[in-house]
Amino acid sequence: MLTRVPTTRDVTVSHTFYAAGDSETVLDATGNVVVTVTDAAGTQVSTGNATSAGVGTGRYTYVVAGQASAASLAVAWAATAVEAVSPRTA
């Protein structure tokens, strides 16, 4: 998913974890959901823990700080859930 954001503006990204092979069953993480943001060269721009949108939602959010210049950034989400997860962008 591509999101365009003006430079210097923070943006909130979100992600929902689903049961493997099931696009309906959401899974909450059993610990922290770690988010890593990298630029096109693979350099880490930001990392931290995501915030849960609530128990039973499987949905997490993270605020990416505004950037000094235009850039293409990738967001990676990592978590341990009750069972193997198949992440799907919300």
Side-chain angles (χ1 to χ4, degrees), residues 40-71:
T43 303
Q44 182 175 300
V45 172
S46 174
T47 190
N49 292 331
T51 302
S52 173
V55 175
T57 66
R59 184 176 147 105
Y60 296 83
T61 60
Y62 182 77
V63 177
V64 179
Q67 303 297 302
S69 60

Side-chain angles (χ1 to χ4, degrees), residues 20-82:
D22 180 351
S23 63
E24 306 247 340
T25 305
V26 296
L27 297 176
D28 290 334
T30 57
N32 291 331
V33 173
V34 179
V35 179
T36 303
V37 181
T38 55
D39 64 17
T43 303
Q44 182 175 300
V45 172
S46 174
T47 190
N49 292 331
T51 302
S52 173
V55 175
T57 66
R59 184 176 147 105
Y60 296 83
T61 60
Y62 182 77
V63 177
V64 179
Q67 303 297 302
S69 60
S72 178
L73 303 175
V75 180
W77 302 79
T80 302
V82 176

